[in-house]
Amino acid sequence: MEPYVGESSVPSVFADVSLAQFRESTNYYVISHSASQSYEFHTSASWLTNEGEALFAMATNVGSVVLIKLAPMGIQGIVTQHELRQATVMQRLWTGLVPAVMRRGQETIDTTLSLVMNPVGQDFFVFCVCRDHKLRMWSCKNQTCLASIELLEFLPDGAELSEAPAVGHKIRQAVGSDPRNLIIGVYLGFPDRNQFLVLQPTLEDGQWRLLHIASIEGGKESTLIDFGLTMTHLWAAWSTSSGETVAKFKAYEGGGPGSEGWSPVFLSSSHSSDDLLVPPFLEPREAYMDHIFQPGKFSLHSIGRALNLYHGQSGGEGIGSLSDMSQISMDALKEETMAIIGNDIQQKVGGSEMTQEEYHNLLQQSWSKFYACCVQYHEVANKAVGVMLDQATGMVVIVKKSLLSVLRPCDAVEHLYLSPIGSCVAEDFANVPFVTDETSLCNDLIALSDCIKIVRGKLSPIIQLSFENDLFQLVRPEEVAHQIASDLLGLGADTDTPSRDAQGTVFTAKLSRRLQAIQDMDKTIQTMLAAIDLAEGNPESLMLDEDEPDAQQHLNASGLFTSSSAVDLLATSFTQMSHTRLNLLRDLLILQCAMLRLGQQASISQDISIKIQSELIPDTANLLLAYYMLYYMSGCVTTSVHTNSMESNMRQLAALEITDASSGLGQSLAASQMGGMSPTVIHMFLRGVGGTQVRSQISRGGYLSQDMCEMWTGVLLPAVSKLAQLIWPISANFLFSEFLMCRCQYTQLQECIRLLNPWCEWNAGSRQFLLGHSLLNSGEPHKALSCFLKVANRLAREDFLLNKLLQTEELEGKKLDILYYLKVIRLLEQFSVPDLVISLANTALSVADDDDPNISTLWCKVFKYHLELGHIDEAYRAMTANRDHERRHDCLRQFVVVLCERAQIKQLCQFPYVDLHDEVVSIIESRARTVDLTTHNYYDLLYAFHIYRGNYRKAGGVMYEQAMRLALEVPTLSGLQQQAKCYLAAINALRLVHPNYAWIVKPVPTDTQPSREDMMGASPKRTYDGDELEQHVKRQVTVLELKEIEKEYLLVSARLKLANHEQDSSHVTGISLSADETLALLVQAGLFDTAVTVCKTFKLPLNSVFEGLATKCVKLSSNGPDDLTWKWLSANELGQLNPSRDVGPADIAWRLLRAYLIKYDQEGDHTYYKCVVNRLLSVGFHLPKWLVNTYKKLHAAELLTLYINYDMLEEATYLALEYIDAVMGKGTEYFGLTTPLRATAPSVWLPYNAIDHLSRALRDATNEPLLQKLHLSLQNKLRSYHNQAQQVSEQMTNLALQRYQQGTS
């Protein structure tokens, strides 16, 4: 038994049973045999007591019944075995004398042929029907025979049958709601007749007797397979001489159907071994595969065995053992089937050439051969072996070799159509609502059904298949019916001229007689159509009830029809019901067309003909098309849905704000596998919301309050009817189509809509919407948009569109349309079809009222997707057309961001931005200040925007702000390069402005101050806790002029040169450097030209430049050049130094130093010479001759002081001696003196302090003879100088006296 799947998870009765339990010694018993006692069992019965004990009664061939009682499962107990036997003295003597081996195979006259077991009070009775036509009652408690009753006494001619042999006597029982109410059914089979007896055991005066209830004559032409009985009916399955199974039933008590005789059971037609009729629009492979693998047609086991047989007959090997086939999936079996048959066809074709017709015939032969194999194995599996009746529910099941056939009740319409001609009587429809109590109407309905059956008898399978194919191809059924009616009557299609068809004449006469018997043709046909119409003429009545059912009723129905078998049963019953009614309507439509042709010949008046032509035929055709849709959908196999598709569908439903009507698709699909077959959409619907609604309506209808014994007969038909009503297209209910959409069954949904669109007006708009949704998911968006546009004029008229899709109370036409268009736009947005969104939004804008609040949303959609597609002009127009300021601002922000990301700066700047200029600037500024500079650079956009509009000062300010942020946020080489470009752009922009306005305000970080909303109701001076607030002082505005910006650019440019000059640029790509820091790095790198420029710009002394250059000269002279020497030398201007190959890098460096000293030395201030000499002397380097000679001319005294400071006494002495000589007139030109010491010349002087320090130092160096010698020379030179100075002084005195005297005279 399969587990239930649904709201109630009720386990199977075998859920806790395992193979290990079967193997436990306490749970089975082996019957032992002895030499004198050996049994051959041929029938048995069993019972499980309330205490868990198992009773087994087994009939032997010697007339006894062996009774065995086992202890409850899992409990160690004593197994008792008794033999129930009623024997005479001769039988006992025969048994004792003749060995068991010799008696084996010989049955006694009282051998039990069939037996049943049932509890009666505190005892268990075994009822046996024996070969001697007697029924024996055994007590299991006392092992005694309570009664032995002659069954022939209940037959009128029983005495004549006493010698007749028993041919398959059987006994069955039925128990009512009261266990004491026991009914025994006995089948007595004789060679020339058979009889059923219905008996009831009763206890009278301490003796058990059988109360005769009924005697029923059985069929003579058939062989009984099995029978069963309920408290009111007897059911029997027969096998005809041709091997077909026939089922019948008869009421033996209480009247009702079958009370007058045996009533037939209309079994579903078995598969014909004839070739399958292939529609002209299908090839044989497709037609046969669809039919063979249609759910419920053949089991996978039968198909697998048939494929083995076919392959074996074709000379191939089988596909595997039967155990392997039990594990094979349907998809794998399909592939195997097509491969094997395809290979067989290929072998038959070989290398020969064939016409298309010959190849088609070959396909037909191969596939029909395989189909015949499938039918053969299906017939074997379909062989009936027994009848099973469920006393609790009234369900009747025919047990077959490999299948179970469930017998369901027929409704009145099916009974009218399926019953043989003339077998229906008015009493059969006594309780049918649509017949009412009018006897004449009931007789007319029976006569009409006979006429329909006459038509059905004339329709060949080819005609029936062609009719369905025409319906599938959307041909109007009236047209097909007229043609068929003309052919049946033997008339031309367009004329009433009779043909020579004798069969048509006979058919016409027979049909005319039957039609003449109908008194009220109009009412009869209308009544028939009303009975078939599931909406009963009121489609609004099929709307789902939103009220919650009673809790108890819901609990009672929660597990109803939830198992896989029950779902399959409901789906199959639905298929049978829809197909039966489809065929009835087809035959009724053909009959009506025939009536129009027959006219007065069939007593059809002109008024009736007009009524039939104008009303009845269209109504019949619509009902026929509706049932064809039901029947077609019952055979539609579900499509497996990938998880990604399901998730996408859930997102689409969320966008539409549609809640899924059911859940657990994965569990439903997993539980719906029917022996490997894929379930149909009806199975899926029943496992989902369809089953829930069916149970809910059954509960509300009060069907579950009936007697449990009538559950099957009282609930199944209403359940099938409720299911059909949920799918019925002529209804306001739209649940089934919505379910297909929610379950991603798009192909099935499209076929359903295709069949309904040409004729069904109900939910036409809703179907168009679902068709559009399905086409979207099928990759056809343009067709989908066309479907969506057709829905707008039906929004207010359909429940699904108004209440499920739009979920609004708005009923005004245009506003409702706009809400719908917005929903569709949300759906289209899930599929990346911006062109369709734009088209639909423009359509909505063209019909919207000016005051519609959703117009701004539509303009936003148009703007968004024009922008996405790159339609910049259209996006700008849509943005400016939006009257909602907030939304327009949002669009503008998106417009700016997208164009900037696409680098469409020119297009962005060219738009006029009427009334939006300040907003554009604000947006770009906001984005520029909040977005990471390394990802998006909005400053360039803002700069271009201002430049395009001639606002150069703001453009310069933007570039300066970007440079500042780059310095803080992007401390890399690329950031430094970008800074330089920004400074240059700022400088260029400001140079285009009048000098009086060439300034900007330096950007400063803004303080985070509380918003106005946060300060509402709060003290401006204190917090909520009473603490004093810090007063925010506004920052002073810093104004930057062009010169200051140029200075900053110079520093950045210098850092760039450093970065490009040195391999490791990490120390120059950090945070901003000051002028002093930059100067130090430049000098260190050897970029002396740039360093001098920085010094001049920032008015810094050049001391560090000369010191650095002097240091590098010393290193080159001392250590020689390295790898970087030429690099830093070439970085400076060497053009005027006359570099050549003969000049080494050290010489070039000294020349550069000499050039710098000459260029930057200032008259009267020779600081840089002193700086260089000081640096050279500090490192102990001998001063170059050119430097000494130049310095002697410029400031010999300072050079002397430096010599003394660095303790270079020898050099200082020589310099002092030369200096004294120059003063005294010897070598005056070498020291820059214009005149020597003369009385008539200007005064000259000596650095006496320095010479005194030198003289003292020489005098103190007593241990060094050279210095002592130099000291002596210095002293002599000084004495000579002093002598000359005295002479010059005297001469100057005399000259002064003479000038005085001359002046006084």
Side-chain angles (χ1 to χ4, degrees):
M1 187 173 184
E2 299 184 28
Y4 287 99
V5 178
E7 296 180 22
S8 176
S9 298
V10 181
S12 164
V13 293
F14 298 118
D16 299 328
V17 178
S18 63
L19 184 61
Q21 289 178 313
F22 281 113
R23 293 176 177 174
E24 292 182 6
S25 59
T26 58
N27 296 331
Y28 67 90
Y29 175 70
V30 179
I31 301 175
S32 59
H33 297 273
S34 63
S36 61
Q37 188 178 33
S38 179
Y39 306 115
E40 291 184 4
F41 303 112
H42 57 268
T43 186
S44 64
S46 61
W47 195 274
L48 184 66
T49 67
N50 294 333
E51 292 78 16
E53 295 177 335
L55 296 177
F56 299 91
M58 295 169 286
T60 68
N61 60 330
V62 296
S64 63
V65 177
V66 177
L67 182 66
I68 299 175
K69 182 171 70 173
L70 297 182
M73 179 176 287
I75 299 178
Q76 188 70 37
I78 300 175
V79 179
T80 61
Q81 176 177 334
H82 301 283
E83 185 176 6
L84 307 180
R85 182 168 186 152
Q86 186 180 20
T88 62
V89 176
M90 290 301 299
Q91 288 174 334
R92 295 193 185 98
L93 181 62
W94 174 262
T95 302
L97 295 177
V98 181
V101 176
M102 298 178 60
R103 302 195 309 269
R104 183 168 300 169
Q106 299 180 8
E107 295 184 354
T108 61
I109 191 64
D110 59 348
T111 298
T112 299
L113 301 180
S114 181
L115 73 162
V116 294
M117 179 183 294
N118 195 76
V120 177
Q122 300 298 321
D123 198 355
F124 282 86
F125 286 1
V126 177
F127 298 90
C128 307
V129 58
C130 305
R131 291 175 58 85
D132 56 1
H133 316 310
K134 291 184 179 180
L135 188 145
R136 291 179 172 84
M137 297 174 53
W138 294 90
S139 170
C140 296
K141 183 177 181 180
N142 301 323
Q143 294 89 45
T144 59
C145 182
L146 301 178
S148 179
I149 302 170
E150 182 65 54
L151 295 175
L152 297 179
E153 295 178 355
F154 299 106
L155 302 180
D157 53 350
E160 301 176 1
L161 300 174
S162 59
E163 299 300 328
V167 183
H169 289 355
K170 299 180 184 298
I171 184 171
R172 299 291 183 265
Q173 63 180 352
V175 182
S177 56
D178 186 353
R180 295 173 297 180
N181 189 10
L182 177 64
I183 299 296
I184 299 295
V186 180
Y187 169 77
L188 299 177
F190 301 100
D192 57 345
R193 59 177 295 188
N194 51 69
Q195 189 80 28
F196 290 94
L197 295 177
V198 182
L199 310 171
Q200 183 176 17
T202 59
L203 183 63
E204 297 179 0
D205 300 330
Q207 295 292 326
W208 284 97
R209 302 181 184 277
L210 291 179
L211 177 64
H212 180 258
I213 296 177
S215 296
I216 304 172
E217 187 74 23
K220 298 180 180 180
E221 72 284 354
S222 305
T223 302
L224 181 70
I225 298 174
D226 196 7
F227 81 100
L229 74 160
T230 65
M231 300 304 294
T232 57
H233 288 76
L234 187 144
W235 298 79
W238 309 81
S239 177
T240 64
S241 58
S242 61
E244 295 182 1
T245 300
V246 177
K248 298 180 181 179
F249 70 97
K250 178 176 175 58
Y252 63 83
E253 186 175 2
S259 58
E260 299 298 327
W262 287 97
S263 299
V265 174
F266 308 114
L267 300 178
S268 58
S269 59
S270 59
H271 300 281
S272 174
S273 59
D274 299 335
D275 292 347
L276 185 69
L277 296 176
V278 179
F281 53 85
L282 292 178
E283 63 173 6
R285 180 186 63 84
E286 186 177 358
Y288 276 97
M289 287 291 293
D290 289 345
H291 182 79
I292 292 172
F293 285 93
Q294 185 177 0
K297 291 292 184 181
F298 299 97
S299 66
L300 291 185
H301 185 76
S302 297
I303 298 174
R305 297 185 65 182
L307 191 58
N308 267 329
L309 177 61
Y310 177 88
H311 201 33
Q313 292 175 351
S314 302
E317 298 180 357
I319 64 173
S321 63
L322 295 181
S323 60
D324 295 335
M325 285 191 295
S326 64
Q327 304 297 328
I328 194 171
S329 65
M330 185 183 68
D331 293 336
L333 189 57
K334 279 184 177 181
E335 294 178 0
E336 192 73 23
T337 300
M338 289 188 290
I340 290 176
I341 299 180
N343 291 335
D344 180 49
I345 294 173
Q346 189 65 32
Q347 291 176 2
K348 291 178 180 179
V349 173
S352 60
E353 295 184 359
M354 305 181 100
T355 64
Q356 185 175 0
E357 183 179 357
E358 290 173 343
Y359 183 72
H360 184 275
N361 293 335
L362 180 60
L363 289 177
Q364 180 71 29
Q365 292 172 7
S366 299
W367 281 101
S368 62
K369 177 182 176 182
F370 174 64
Y371 176 70
C373 295
C374 293
V375 172
Q376 178 182 346
Y377 279 106
H378 180 74
E379 289 177 349
V380 173
N382 204 39
K383 184 179 180 179
V385 296
V387 176
M388 190 276 291
L389 283 80
D390 183 8
Q391 301 291 338
T393 62
M395 181 174 65
V396 182
V397 178
I398 297 179
V399 181
K400 299 182 178 180
K401 187 174 181 180
S402 300
L403 306 170
L404 290 178
S405 291
V406 181
L407 306 184
R408 65 172 180 86
C410 283
D411 58 23
V413 174
E414 291 176 308
H415 182 65
L416 270 175
Y417 183 67
L418 297 176
S419 298
I421 296 177
S423 62
C424 292
V425 294
E427 288 74 12
D428 294 342
F429 308 97
N431 298 321
V432 178
F434 71 87
V435 176
T436 68
D437 297 331
E438 299 182 28
T439 306
S440 60
L441 178 59
C442 185
N443 292 330
D444 286 349
L445 285 171
I446 295 173
L448 180 62
S449 69
D450 289 342
C451 296
I452 293 174
K453 296 167 192 174
I454 293 174
V455 173
R456 181 184 65 189
K458 297 294 292 183
L459 300 180
S460 65
I462 296 179
I463 295 177
Q464 297 179 27
L465 178 63
S466 299
F467 191 92
E468 291 188 10
N469 290 339
D470 289 336
L471 295 181
F472 181 78
Q473 298 296 333
L474 304 182
V475 180
R476 283 299 298 178
E478 304 97 309
E479 301 174 6
V480 184
H482 277 297
Q483 180 62 48
I484 296 175
S486 299
D487 294 341
L488 294 179
L489 296 174
L491 303 175
D494 300 321
T495 178
D496 293 340
T497 304
S499 66
R500 298 179 181 180
D501 188 358
Q503 293 184 355
T505 304
V506 174
F507 172 76
T508 301
K510 184 178 180 180
L511 184 61
S512 299
R513 287 195 301 271
R514 291 284 184 176
L515 290 174
Q516 291 171 2
I518 300 176
Q519 299 178 10
D520 192 341
M521 182 64 71
D522 179 20
K523 186 175 182 180
T524 303
I525 296 177
Q526 288 184 356
T527 303
M528 179 69 76
L529 295 178
I532 298 175
D533 186 2
L534 292 175
E536 298 178 357
N538 183 17
E540 294 287 350
S541 64
L542 298 185
M543 284 293 297
L544 298 180
D545 191 354
E546 301 295 337
D547 297 336
E548 292 292 333
D550 180 76
Q552 184 61 40
Q553 292 179 346
H554 177 75
L555 181 62
N556 293 338
S558 60
L560 185 64
F561 297 123
T562 53
S563 70
S564 297
S565 299
V567 169
D568 186 38
L569 182 62
L570 278 180
T572 305
S573 300
F574 170 80
T575 303
Q576 291 177 350
M577 182 271 292
S578 57
H579 193 218
T580 301
R581 296 193 175 198
L582 171 65
N583 291 338
L584 187 152
L585 288 166
R586 175 200 64 202
D587 300 340
L588 178 59
L589 184 61
I590 296 173
L591 177 63
Q592 294 177 74
C593 294
M595 291 180 190
L596 296 178
R597 290 302 185 94
L598 293 175
Q600 293 296 333
Q601 185 178 353
S603 301
I604 305 297
S605 64
Q606 184 68 24
D607 294 340
I608 295 298
S609 297
I610 295 174
K611 187 69 173 292
I612 292 175
Q613 179 71 34
S614 61
E615 296 183 16
L616 298 182
I617 287 182
D619 291 346
T620 305
N622 286 342
L623 289 176
L624 184 145
L625 292 172
Y627 272 105
Y628 178 73
M629 189 278 283
L630 297 188
Y631 176 64
Y632 181 84
M633 296 310 298
S634 68
C636 284
V637 179
T638 56
T639 303
S640 60
V641 182
H642 196 271
T643 305
N644 294 339
S645 300
M646 200 64 201
E647 292 176 354
S648 174
N649 186 57
M650 295 299 292
R651 290 193 295 269
Q652 296 166 30
L653 296 179
L656 295 174
E657 299 179 353
I658 295 179
T659 57
D660 190 359
S662 62
S663 59
L665 175 64
Q667 294 83 349
S668 297
L669 288 176
S672 61
Q673 301 301 318
M674 305 176 300
M677 289 290 188
S678 298
T680 64
V681 292
I682 304 301
H683 288 82
M684 181 183 288
F685 186 56
L686 283 170
R687 286 181 172 87
V689 63
T692 303
Q693 288 295 330
V694 167
R695 286 185 288 274
S696 177
Q697 295 186 28
I698 288 294
S699 176
R700 289 191 180 95
Y703 297 100
L704 297 180
S705 61
Q706 301 177 8
D707 187 359
M708 284 298 296
C709 292
E710 299 178 0
M711 174 68 71
W712 184 251
T713 57
V715 176
L716 179 63
L717 279 181
V720 175
S721 177
K722 299 299 182 185
L723 172 61
Q725 289 175 351
L726 291 175
I727 308 175
W728 187 244
I730 310 176
S731 163
N733 173 34
F734 198 59
L735 182 64
F736 180 68
S737 298
E738 180 188 350
F739 176 82
L740 293 180
M741 176 191 69
C742 294
R743 288 294 168 264
C744 305
Q745 302 300 309
Y746 302 120
T747 303
Q748 296 82 346
L749 178 61
Q750 290 179 34
E751 279 299 312
C752 175
I753 296 173
R754 185 185 71 86
L755 295 175
L756 295 179
N757 274 347
W759 64 273
C760 184
E761 291 296 324
W762 284 92
N763 294 312
S766 301
R767 287 198 306 273
Q768 285 296 325
F769 178 80
L770 294 194
L771 179 59
H773 181 269
S774 177
L775 290 171
L776 272 178
N777 286 275
S778 301
E780 299 182 272
H782 290 86
K783 291 182 179 180
L785 180 60
S786 177
C787 294
F788 290 139
L789 292 175
K790 297 177 183 178
V791 181
N793 59 347
R794 301 185 65 91
L795 293 174
R797 291 183 283 173
E798 297 184 16
D799 178 75
F800 171 81
L801 297 175
L802 185 62
N803 298 323
K804 197 67 177 288
L805 178 64
L806 300 182
Q807 301 177 14
T808 180
E809 297 180 357
E810 178 66 57
L811 296 177
E812 198 276 323
K814 291 185 178 181
K815 292 184 179 180
L816 200 61
D817 292 348
I818 300 306
L819 292 176
Y820 166 73
Y821 287 134
L822 285 174
K823 284 277 188 173
V824 177
I825 287 173
R826 292 178 193 170
L827 179 61
L828 292 175
E829 288 175 328
Q830 303 294 317
F831 292 89
S832 300
V833 284
D835 54 332
L836 300 187
V837 174
I838 294 170
S839 175
L840 187 59
N842 286 331
T843 302
L845 288 169
S846 65
V847 301
D849 294 328
D850 293 338
D851 59 346
D852 195 304
N854 293 307
I855 287 182
S856 58
T857 303
L858 291 171
W859 279 121
C860 287
K861 298 295 183 182
V862 175
F863 162 80
K864 176 182 177 181
Y865 291 102
H866 271 310
L867 188 62
E868 181 178 317
L869 291 172
H871 304 161
I872 308 302
D873 294 336
E874 291 81 355
Y876 177 79
R877 286 194 292 269
M879 175 182 66
T880 55
N882 200 331
R883 291 172 293 180
D884 189 322
H885 177 76
E886 183 176 353
R887 286 181 176 268
R888 184 173 58 190
H889 184 77
D890 295 338
C891 293
L892 182 60
R893 179 184 297 107
Q894 186 178 1
F895 186 75
V896 171
V897 171
V898 171
L899 290 189
C900 183
E901 291 176 351
R902 295 176 181 172
Q904 295 177 306
I905 307 301
K906 182 178 180 181
Q907 294 88 331
L908 179 61
C909 296
Q910 286 176 346
F911 288 106
Y913 300 107
V914 179
D915 298 332
L916 296 174
H917 181 272
D918 293 340
E919 293 186 21
V920 173
V921 174
S922 175
I923 291 172
I924 301 176
E925 284 182 348
S926 176
R927 297 290 296 182
R929 292 168 179 170
T930 56
V931 175
D932 187 0
L933 288 175
T934 59
T935 57
H936 297 89
N937 192 342
Y938 289 92
Y939 285 104
D940 292 344
L941 169 61
L942 189 57
Y943 172 77
F945 188 83
H946 288 311
I947 290 293
Y948 186 81
R949 283 161 175 75
N951 197 340
Y952 302 114
R953 191 158 63 88
K954 285 190 176 181
V958 168
M959 285 293 101
Y960 182 81
E961 180 177 339
Q962 181 182 3
M964 286 184 59
R965 284 194 58 194
L966 286 169
L968 295 173
E969 301 175 15
V970 191
T972 61
L973 179 60
S974 61
L976 194 63
Q977 294 170 344
Q978 190 65 23
Q979 281 185 60
K981 294 179 182 179
C982 292
Y983 278 118
L984 284 175
I987 292 170
N988 291 337
L990 291 177
R991 282 177 177 171
L992 296 174
V993 183
H994 191 276
N996 294 338
Y997 302 101
W999 55 268
I1000 61 173
V1001 176
K1002 185 176 182 179
V1004 293
T1006 57
D1007 289 338
T1008 303
Q1009 298 187 7
S1011 63
R1012 182 176 299 178
E1013 291 79 3
D1014 296 337
M1015 293 299 295
M1016 291 296 292
S1019 171
K1021 296 182 179 181
R1022 298 184 181 276
T1023 64
Y1024 290 106
D1025 298 330
D1027 299 330
E1028 185 175 350
L1029 286 172
E1030 179 182 354
Q1031 298 299 317
H1032 294 273
V1033 180
K1034 293 184 178 181
R1035 294 179 180 269
Q1036 293 182 350
V1037 176
T1038 303
V1039 176
L1040 296 176
E1041 295 183 351
L1042 181 59
K1043 294 184 294 183
E1044 296 169 325
I1045 299 176
E1046 290 175 342
K1047 288 181 179 180
E1048 294 187 24
Y1049 166 69
L1050 179 61
L1051 293 179
V1052 172
S1053 177
R1055 291 175 63 190
L1056 265 179
K1057 290 181 180 179
L1058 284 169
N1060 295 326
H1061 179 74
E1062 297 188 354
Q1063 295 180 353
D1064 183 12
S1065 58
S1066 59
H1067 60 287
V1068 295
T1069 56
I1071 60 175
S1072 299
L1073 302 177
S1074 65
D1076 293 332
E1077 294 170 334
T1078 304
L1079 178 61
L1081 292 174
L1082 290 171
V1083 170
Q1084 181 182 352
L1087 303 178
F1088 298 108
D1089 286 349
T1090 307
V1092 170
T1093 303
V1094 171
C1095 292
K1096 293 294 185 181
T1097 303
F1098 289 91
K1099 299 180 181 181
L1100 299 176
L1102 296 177
N1103 296 19
S1104 59
V1105 177
F1106 284 98
E1107 289 178 356
L1109 181 55
T1111 302
K1112 286 188 175 291
C1113 291
V1114 171
K1115 289 183 179 180
L1116 286 174
S1117 299
S1118 302
N1119 304 328
D1122 56 17
D1123 297 336
L1124 300 177
T1125 300
W1126 283 109
K1127 186 175 182 181
W1128 69 261
L1129 282 173
S1130 61
N1132 298 282
E1133 182 60 42
L1134 304 178
Q1136 298 178 355
L1137 304 181
N1138 300 319
S1140 63
R1141 293 183 180 180
D1142 299 333
V1143 180
D1147 295 336
I1148 294 177
W1150 286 110
R1151 290 182 183 182
L1152 180 63
L1153 177 60
R1154 185 176 183 179
Y1156 276 5
L1157 287 173
I1158 295 173
K1159 183 177 181 180
Y1160 299 110
D1161 183 55
Q1162 299 177 4
E1163 186 176 357
D1165 182 10
H1166 309 292
T1167 305
Y1168 302 134
Y1169 277 91
K1170 180 182 179 181
C1171 177
V1172 171
V1173 172
N1174 192 20
R1175 185 62 179 171
L1176 293 177
L1177 294 178
S1178 66
V1179 297
F1181 189 80
H1182 183 72
L1183 297 179
K1185 187 175 182 179
W1186 63 267
L1187 180 59
V1188 173
N1189 293 335
T1190 304
Y1191 204 5
K1192 286 193 300 183
K1193 287 184 179 181
L1194 296 177
H1195 206 316
E1198 193 172 57
L1199 177 59
L1200 178 62
T1201 302
L1202 291 175
Y1203 276 148
I1204 297 171
N1205 290 342
Y1206 285 97
D1207 202 20
M1208 298 178 67
L1209 300 180
E1210 184 178 355
E1211 289 81 355
T1213 303
Y1214 289 132
L1215 178 62
L1217 292 173
E1218 292 177 1
Y1219 193 16
I1220 295 172
D1221 288 339
V1223 170
M1224 295 172 63
K1226 184 181 179 181
T1228 304
E1229 67 276 8
Y1230 297 113
F1231 284 87
L1233 300 176
T1234 57
T1235 59
L1237 182 63
R1238 296 285 187 270
T1240 58
S1243 299
V1244 292
W1245 58 276
L1246 284 177
Y1248 289 108
N1249 290 335
I1251 294 174
D1252 288 342
H1253 286 296
L1254 176 60
S1255 179
R1256 177 68 181 266
L1258 291 173
R1259 186 178 67 244
D1260 293 340
T1262 58
N1263 297 330
E1264 296 186 20
L1266 179 59
L1267 296 180
Q1268 290 296 322
K1269 184 178 179 180
L1270 291 175
H1271 179 261
L1272 181 61
S1273 298
L1274 180 60
Q1275 292 298 324
N1276 292 333
K1277 185 64 69 174
L1278 285 174
R1279 281 194 291 271
S1280 298
Y1281 171 75
H1282 290 154
N1283 293 332
Q1284 186 175 350
Q1286 185 176 2
Q1287 294 175 4
V1288 171
S1289 297
E1290 291 176 353
Q1291 292 176 1
M1292 291 177 66
T1293 304
N1294 294 330
L1295 290 174
L1297 180 60
Q1298 291 177 3
R1299 285 194 296 267
Y1300 177 76
Q1301 292 174 353
Q1302 292 175 359
T1304 58
S1305 64

